[in-house]
């Protein structure tokens, strides 16, 4: 029997080695249960060893992951039952919280803090709002509301879970109500189209008014400029006429002054020239040039007067 002992040991060892070696995937850490008790600590990604048969290993993801919660029913405040087809929760478990979170909430911790919590928050939201709010008015706030609620509880209980984002799909509502909403949305769309068309028409009319005003102002400015140009031309013509008149007046005045000066000079010259001796000389010349012989008993008085004047002077 002893001779088979080595062979038995080798066989047992050959079986134990594959059972003890295991691989942890990248982005995960390994946690271990030995005899049903959680072992403190964890192993990193890669090959690791454990005691087979009495130890079990679980891989816990520590990178970003997305949990999908599907087909969530909820009733609105008015009693209408709707279904949220899918809610996606992007989350991550902190590496240093892995062991404590698994010890407190198990390896399926996300069922407690994400899946069940999503159902609770969706139902809370629906029960506090009408169908109009859930389906249209406040649907855009559901994502942030659920994210804040999940993160608040995870932080309060120190789970180490980080809620990165929440995405909620449009809820399914009863077909009759859905058609009514579609008709309402179609009417609203038509109203918006009509409103936008009216705004376009008003904008075009306003543009035409502004264009007409600009053109009118432009025409008025052109007319004003032309009028000012005509006035300036008239003023220039008047200035030219005034200058010509002044030049003519100055010319006439100069000619009059020259004529007056000439006459005055001639008068002064004549005054200086017509002395008594010169006048006597002229008289003598005139008498000599106009000698007449008179026959008869009486001589014209003119000659007797002149002769008497000559005798007196002598």
């Amino acid at each position: 029997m002893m001779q088979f002992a080595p062979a038995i040991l080798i066989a047992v060892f050959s079986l134990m080695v594959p059972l003890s070696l295991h691989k942890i995937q990248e982005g995960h850490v390994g946690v271990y249960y030995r005899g049903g008790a959680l072992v403190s600590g964890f192993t990193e990604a890669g090959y690791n060893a454990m005691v087979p048969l009495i130890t079990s290993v679980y891989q816990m993801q520590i990178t970003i992951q997305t949990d999908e919660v599907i087909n969530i029913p909820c009733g609105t405040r008015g009693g209408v039952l709707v279904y949220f087809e899918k809610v996606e929760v992007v989350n991550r478990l902190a590496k240093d919280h892995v062991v404590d979170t698994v010890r407190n909430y198990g390896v399926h911790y996300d069922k407690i803090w994400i899946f069940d919590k999503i159902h609770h928050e969706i139902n809370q939201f629906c029960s506090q709002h009408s169908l109009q709010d859930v389906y249209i008015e406040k649907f855009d706030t559901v994502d942030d509301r659920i994210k804040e609620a999940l993160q608040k509880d995870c932080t309060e209980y120190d789970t180490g879970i980080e809620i990165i984002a929440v995405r909620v799909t449009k809820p399914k509502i009863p077909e009759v109500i859905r058609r009514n909403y579609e008709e309402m949305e179609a009417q609203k769309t038509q109203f918006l189209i009509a409103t936008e068309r009216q705004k376009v028409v008003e904008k075009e009319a306003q543009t035409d008014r502004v264009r007409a005003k600009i053109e009118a102002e432009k025409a008025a400015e052109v007319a004003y400029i032309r009028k000012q140009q005509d006035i300036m031309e008239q003023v220039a013509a008047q200035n030219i006429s005034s200058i010509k008149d002044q030049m003519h007046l100055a010319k006439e005045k100069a000619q009059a002054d020259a004529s007056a000066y000439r006459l005055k000079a001639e008068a002064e010259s004549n005054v200086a020239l017509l002395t008594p001796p010169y006048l006597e000389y002229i008289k003598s010349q005139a008498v000599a040039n106009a000698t007449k012989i008179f026959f008869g008993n009486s001589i014209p008085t003119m000659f007797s007067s002149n002769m008497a004047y000559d005798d007196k002077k002598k």
Side-chain angles (χ1 to χ4, degrees):
M1 189 69 180
M2 294 295 296
Q3 60 182 354
F4 296 106
I8 294 172
L9 290 174
I10 293 173
V12 171
F13 182 77
S14 299
L15 292 173
M16 295 292 287
V17 168
L19 292 175
S20 64
L21 288 178
H22 59 282
K23 181 173 65 176
I24 304 298
Q25 298 293 336
E26 186 65 42
H28 295 70
V29 295
V31 295
Y32 301 88
Y33 282 91
R34 184 176 297 123
L38 181 66
V39 178
S40 298
F42 54 83
T43 56
E44 301 285 349
Y47 283 102
N48 294 275
M50 66 179 181
V51 178
L53 302 179
I54 63 173
T55 305
S56 57
V57 60
Y58 294 91
Q59 296 193 47
M60 307 301 297
Q61 186 173 349
I62 57 174
T63 56
I64 294 176
Q65 59 180 320
T66 301
D67 292 325
E68 294 184 356
V69 187
I70 60 175
N71 199 25
I72 307 169
C74 70
T76 65
R77 187 174 58 192
V80 180
L81 184 63
V82 299
Y83 290 86
F84 285 85
E85 185 176 2
K86 182 172 62 175
V87 177
E88 295 180 339
V89 181
V90 183
N91 63 94
R92 176 171 52 195
L93 177 61
K95 188 175 182 180
D96 56 351
H97 282 70
V98 170
V99 175
D100 291 337
T101 299
V102 171
R103 177 177 289 111
N104 293 327
Y105 311 110
V107 294
H108 301 295
Y109 65 91
D110 50 358
K111 182 180 184 304
I112 298 173
W113 294 108
I114 294 179
F115 288 85
D116 294 345
K117 190 67 175 174
I118 288 293
H119 279 269
H120 173 73
E121 291 299 329
I122 288 292
N123 279 275
Q124 286 290 319
F125 175 76
C126 291
S127 64
Q128 295 173 3
H129 297 88
S130 65
L131 179 60
Q132 176 74 13
D133 292 336
V134 173
Y135 192 65
I136 296 177
E137 299 294 337
K138 296 185 178 180
F139 174 74
D140 59 341
T141 65
V142 177
D143 296 351
D144 293 335
R145 172 173 177 155
I146 294 178
K147 179 178 181 295
E148 291 175 1
L150 293 178
Q151 189 62 71
K152 178 182 177 182
D153 289 344
C154 289
T155 302
E156 181 178 353
Y157 289 91
D158 195 25
T159 62
I161 302 172
E162 177 188 3
I163 306 300
I164 299 173
V166 174
R167 296 186 290 266
V168 181
T169 59
K170 197 78 171 176
K172 290 183 178 180
I173 61 177
E175 186 65 21
V176 176
I177 299 177
R178 185 185 64 80
R179 285 198 298 268
N180 291 337
Y181 272 112
E182 288 179 352
E183 292 177 1
M184 183 176 65
E185 287 297 321
Q187 294 175 1
K188 185 183 295 185
T189 301
Q190 292 177 358
F191 174 75
L192 291 176
I193 292 173
T195 302
E196 291 300 323
R197 185 181 294 112
Q198 181 179 359
K199 290 181 180 179
V200 171
V201 172
E202 291 177 355
K203 191 66 177 180
E204 290 177 351
Q206 182 180 0
T207 303
D208 292 339
R209 289 195 297 269
V210 172
R211 185 184 297 112
K213 181 179 179 182
I214 293 174
E215 291 177 355
E217 291 177 351
K218 179 181 177 182
E221 291 177 356
V222 171
Y224 176 77
I225 293 173
R226 288 178 178 175
K227 184 177 180 180
Q228 291 297 115
Q229 185 177 3
D230 292 340
I231 293 174
M232 291 176 64
E233 290 178 354
Q234 293 176 4
V235 171
Q238 291 177 357
N239 292 335
I240 293 173
S241 178
S242 176
I243 292 172
K244 288 182 178 180
D245 292 342
Q246 292 177 3
M247 292 175 61
H248 179 72
L249 180 62
K251 181 178 179 182
E252 291 295 326
K253 183 178 180 180
Q255 290 178 353
D257 291 343
S259 178
Y261 179 77
R262 180 174 57 78
L263 293 175
K264 180 179 179 181
E266 289 179 356
E268 292 177 353
S269 176
N270 290 333
V271 169
L273 179 64
L274 297 178
T275 59
Y278 180 73
L279 292 175
E280 187 66 27
Y281 172 75
I282 293 300
K283 178 181 177 183
S284 300
Q285 289 289 331
V287 172
N289 291 331
T291 302
K292 293 182 180 181
I293 300 174
F294 295 93
F295 298 93
N297 295 324
S298 73
I299 299 173
T301 307
M302 178 184 67
F303 291 102
S304 62
S305 299
N306 288 335
M307 290 176 64
Y309 175 73
D310 291 338
D311 291 336
K312 288 180 182 179
K313 291 177 65 176
K314 291 178 180 181

